[in-house]
Amino acid sequence: LAQVVGLSCFRCLDDPGQAGTTTLSAAMASAAAKLQSIPFLTDKNNPIGYCVQGSIEFAADSRRLVQRCTKPDAKEFKKIAVACAIGFSIMGFIGYTVKLVFIPINNIIVGGQ
């Protein structure tokens, strides 16, 4: 997960037992079994199989991530909001300074009329 100033947008659970098996995983297993019967969809050397297998792996990884993550609590959310506000302020100050410096330089280059 991407982290900004040591804070993450989502806090992952420490207990891997939280990810329970559901009917969705059973449906995915049956879909995977149907795919096994069509060989070109499971062959990563085949362009179609490469796309299909990549999509399946991406879906499984995304599902695992969503199951393991929770929303941040109020204290953590406040820290993230403050860090973002400080970042916006710094970037705004840099942009204002650059604009302030380049207006006179542009007038010198173009020639004040």
Side-chain angles (χ1 to χ4, degrees):
L1 291 174
Q3 293 188 350
V4 177
V5 193
L7 301 172
S8 62
C9 293
F10 288 100
R11 188 179 61 241
C12 288
L13 297 172
D14 292 332
D15 184 20
Q18 288 284 337
T21 58
T22 61
T23 58
L24 181 61
S25 62
M28 287 178 62
S30 68
K34 289 178 185 176
L35 284 177
Q36 296 297 333
S37 64
I38 306 171
F40 75 93
L41 290 179
T42 58
D43 183 17
K44 279 202 162 189
N45 294 326
N46 186 340
I48 295 174
Y50 183 79
C51 292
V52 170
Q53 289 299 317
S55 300
I56 291 171
E57 291 172 8
F58 177 76
D61 291 342
S62 299
R63 183 172 171 267
R64 189 177 315 120
L65 176 70
V66 169
Q67 282 183 342
R68 298 269 326 245
C69 294
T70 60
K71 288 184 179 180
D73 58 354
K75 183 179 178 182
E76 188 175 8
F77 180 77
K78 186 176 180 180
K79 285 182 182 180
I80 293 168
V82 167
C84 289
I86 290 171
F88 273 104
S89 301
I90 290 171
M91 292 302 291
F93 180 74
I94 291 171
Y96 178 74
T97 305
V98 168
K99 186 73 171 177
L100 195 66
V101 168
F102 278 103
I103 287 175
I105 293 174
N106 192 22
N107 287 338
I108 292 170
I109 292 173
V110 173
Q113 293 178 4

